[in-house]
């Protein structure tokens, strides 16, 4: 049996008629930028996350970039200030910090592969202004502990929610666990558009107001520019398509959880380490990441069994050419993770036969 890693065609085919109707509605409206579809999606997604505000932007990276830029404009940060961030993350999280002339302070992860809250305080300095945890693989970081450190030191907390739409920590949804949160709706996400799209959620009125200007050339009113802004507006069409898909997200996340439960219960192999779920967390399993010291051998075996896999991610940010000034640094926990992780197929359209095929192939691996 062939098991694709993620069948986007099948995922979107379920809503094909509604997506086409939404597309037609936008085309026939005659209004294509910052109109009623964006306003409606912002209301609906804010309500879903449990926040006062949602500000639609062009993509997930720009969501994080603009949060930090807004706080620079509002005087909450200054150039060169430090932002604590996990060493184990996709490079976009780091790019958002350096794009704003701020200084990333990399901290090692805990057993969940997320930022280790117990290590944060030793990295706080007089220049620290924010903590930027990433809810990696669809599981939130330990936000209770992170927020406690932030309150103690007067720091902002920015969530990177690119992989965690609908995830819970202590009963609160990702996107409402800090001062602001950046969301990506890249097509492969749990809530995916049919192109690039993103958003910021927050309860901060001043931040939301600044963001709405910054995404639109720094302007609230045409030809009057408060800030040196950018063009990063959630597209009317993508907003309309996301509105079609939003009501389905909880059911889709539940299917992912059901598959993850089967994997956790039924994959038994001495050379495959299963993911760890943190206390008070309810993940949404954007990806199901196992670890093996013989990852390449395992991946080859699964490929021969018809099981598609991916590596999230082969190189950590501090080893990338883009940050060559960091290449001599050592983050051994992060480096071990990047050398061992392998993502198994998990999606809301996988059937039971495919799930069982993945489990059987893992258990049948002769090992290295």
């Amino acid at each position: 049996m062939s098991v694709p890693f993620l069948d986007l065609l099948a995922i979107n085919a379920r809503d094909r008629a509604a997506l086409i109707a939404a597309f037609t509605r936008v085309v026939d409206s005659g209004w294509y930028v910052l109109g009623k579809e964006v306003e409606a999606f912002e209301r609906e997604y804010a309500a879903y996350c449990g926040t006062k505000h949602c500000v639609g932007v062009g993509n997930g990276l720009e969501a994080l970039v603009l949060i930090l830029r807004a706080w620079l404009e509002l005087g909450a940060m200054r150039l060169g200030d430090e932002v604590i961030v996990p060493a184990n993350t996709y490079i976009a999280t780091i790019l958002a910090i350096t794009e704003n002339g701020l200084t990333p302070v990399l901290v090692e992860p805990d057993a969940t592969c997320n930022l280790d809250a117990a290590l944060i305080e030793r990295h706080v300095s007089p220049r620290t202004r924010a903590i930027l945890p990433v809810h990696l693989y669809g599981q939130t970081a330990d936000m209770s502990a992170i927020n406690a450190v932030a309150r103690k030191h007067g720091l902002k907390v920015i969530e990177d929610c690119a992989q965690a739409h609908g995830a819970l920590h202590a009963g609160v949804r990702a996107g409402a666990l800090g001062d602001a949160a950046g969301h990506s709706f890249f097509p492969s996400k749990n809530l995916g558009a049919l192109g690039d799209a993103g958003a910021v959620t927050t309860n901060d009125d001043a931040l939301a107001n600044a963001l709405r200007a910054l995404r639109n050339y720094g302007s609230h009113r045409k030809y009057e520019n408060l800030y040196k802004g950018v063009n990063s507006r959630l597209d009317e069409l993508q907003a309309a398509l996301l509105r079609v898909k939003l009501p389905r997200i909880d059911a889709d996340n539940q299917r992912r959880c059901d598959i993850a439960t089967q994997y956790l219960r039924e994959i038994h192999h001495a050379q495959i380490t299963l993911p760890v779920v943190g206390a008070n967390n309810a993940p949404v399993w954007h990806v199901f990441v196992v670890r093996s010291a013989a990852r390449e051998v395992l991946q080859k075996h699964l490929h021969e069994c018809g099981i598609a896999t991916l590596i999230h991610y082969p190189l950590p940010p501090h080893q990338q050419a883009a940050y060559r000034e960091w290449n001599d640094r050592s983050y051994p926990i992060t480096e071990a993770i990047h050398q061992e992780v392998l993502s198994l197929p998990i999606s809301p359209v996988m059937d039971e036969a495919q799930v069982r095929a993945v489990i059987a192939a893992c258990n049948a691996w002769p090992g290295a």
Side-chain angles (χ1 to χ4, degrees), residues 35 46 66 84 105 126 130 179 187 213 217 220 228 240-242 247 268 273 280 288 293 314 320 345 352:
L66 291 179
I84 291 173
V105 176
D179 295 289
Y217 300 99
H220 288 298
K228 296 172 184 175
L241 302 177
L242 285 166
H268 303 289
T273 301
N280 299 314
F288 189 93
Q320 298 283 354
E352 284 303 308

Side-chain angles (χ1 to χ4, degrees), residues 44-355:
E44 292 159 8
Y45 194 62
Y48 178 76
C49 292
T51 59
K52 287 177 65 177
H53 303 285
C54 171
V55 180
V57 297
N59 55 64
L61 170 57
E62 289 172 359
L64 296 175
V65 168
L66 291 179
I67 291 169
L68 293 167
R69 187 160 302 172
W71 275 326
L72 284 164
E73 293 285 359
L74 295 170
M77 297 180 180
R78 293 181 296 177
L79 293 177
D81 280 346
E82 295 175 354
V83 180
I84 291 173
V85 66
N88 179 43
T89 184
Y90 183 56
I91 197 170
T93 318
I94 312 294
L95 290 171
I97 300 169
T98 56
E99 174 69 14
N100 281 293
L102 299 166
T103 304
V105 176
L106 277 59
V107 175
E108 290 269 52
D110 61 18
T112 70
C113 295
N114 278 317
L115 178 63
D116 190 338
L119 300 179
I120 293 174
E121 199 154 18
R122 71 183 67 173
H123 294 277
V124 174
S125 81
R127 296 302 303 273
T128 307
R129 294 292 177 270
I131 308 170
L132 205 173
V134 180
H135 303 323
L136 199 64
Y137 308 149
Q139 176 174 196
T140 69
D142 185 354
M143 296 304 294
S144 297
I146 289 169
N147 283 326
V149 175
R151 286 191 298 269
K152 180 178 178 180
H153 294 279
L155 306 177
K156 300 288 190 184
V157 176
I158 308 155
E159 302 170 74
D160 185 336
C161 293
Q163 300 184 4
H165 313 122
L168 298 172
H169 177 78
V172 179
R173 278 209 172 108
L177 289 162
D179 295 289
H183 304 255
S184 169
F185 305 119
F186 187 75
S188 63
K189 305 300 186 185
N190 291 36
L191 177 61
L194 270 65
D196 275 319
V200 175
T201 53
T202 184
N203 290 317
D204 185 328
D205 295 341
L207 177 65
N209 190 55
L211 287 165
R212 290 192 174 99
L214 282 167
R215 71 176 177 184
N216 187 40
Y217 300 99
S219 173
H220 288 298
R221 183 177 303 188
K222 196 170 185 178
Y223 304 130
E224 295 181 15
N225 303 84
L226 292 172
Y227 310 113
K228 296 172 184 175
V230 299
N231 178 3
S232 180
R233 302 173 295 210
L234 176 61
D235 188 81
E236 275 288 282
L237 178 58
Q238 297 301 340
L241 302 177
L242 285 166
R243 292 183 67 203
V244 171
K245 301 179 78 174
L246 180 58
R248 190 189 279 277
I249 187 171
D250 284 339
D252 278 0
N253 284 344
Q254 185 58 55
R255 177 58 183 150
R256 289 174 177 270
C257 289
D258 292 343
I259 296 168
T261 297
Q262 285 184 261
Y263 285 169
L264 290 168
R265 185 177 61 236
E266 299 180 29
I267 293 176
H268 303 289
H269 197 292
Q271 291 181 266
I272 298 175
T273 301
L274 298 172
V276 174
V277 176
N280 299 314
N281 281 356
V284 292
W285 301 104
H286 172 62
V287 285
F288 189 93
V289 178
V290 300
R291 293 178 64 177
S292 177
R295 175 180 66 194
E296 281 69 27
V297 182
L298 172 58
Q299 187 173 39
K300 182 175 184 292
H301 163 77
L302 292 174
H303 174 74
E304 291 170 350
C305 293
I307 311 298
T309 60
L310 289 178
I311 297 172
H312 294 93
Y313 303 97
L315 276 180
H318 73 276
Q319 293 183 335
Q320 298 283 354
Y323 291 106
R324 56 181 55 85
E325 66 272 23
W326 297 346
N327 288 173
D328 61 349
R329 295 187 185 183
S330 177
Y331 298 94
I333 299 173
T334 293
E335 289 158 18
I337 289 170
H338 285 251
Q339 289 162 11
E340 296 179 356
V341 290
L342 186 67
S343 299
L344 303 182
I346 189 166
S347 88
V349 296
M350 284 179 69
D351 61 33
E352 284 303 308
Q354 290 176 318
V355 175

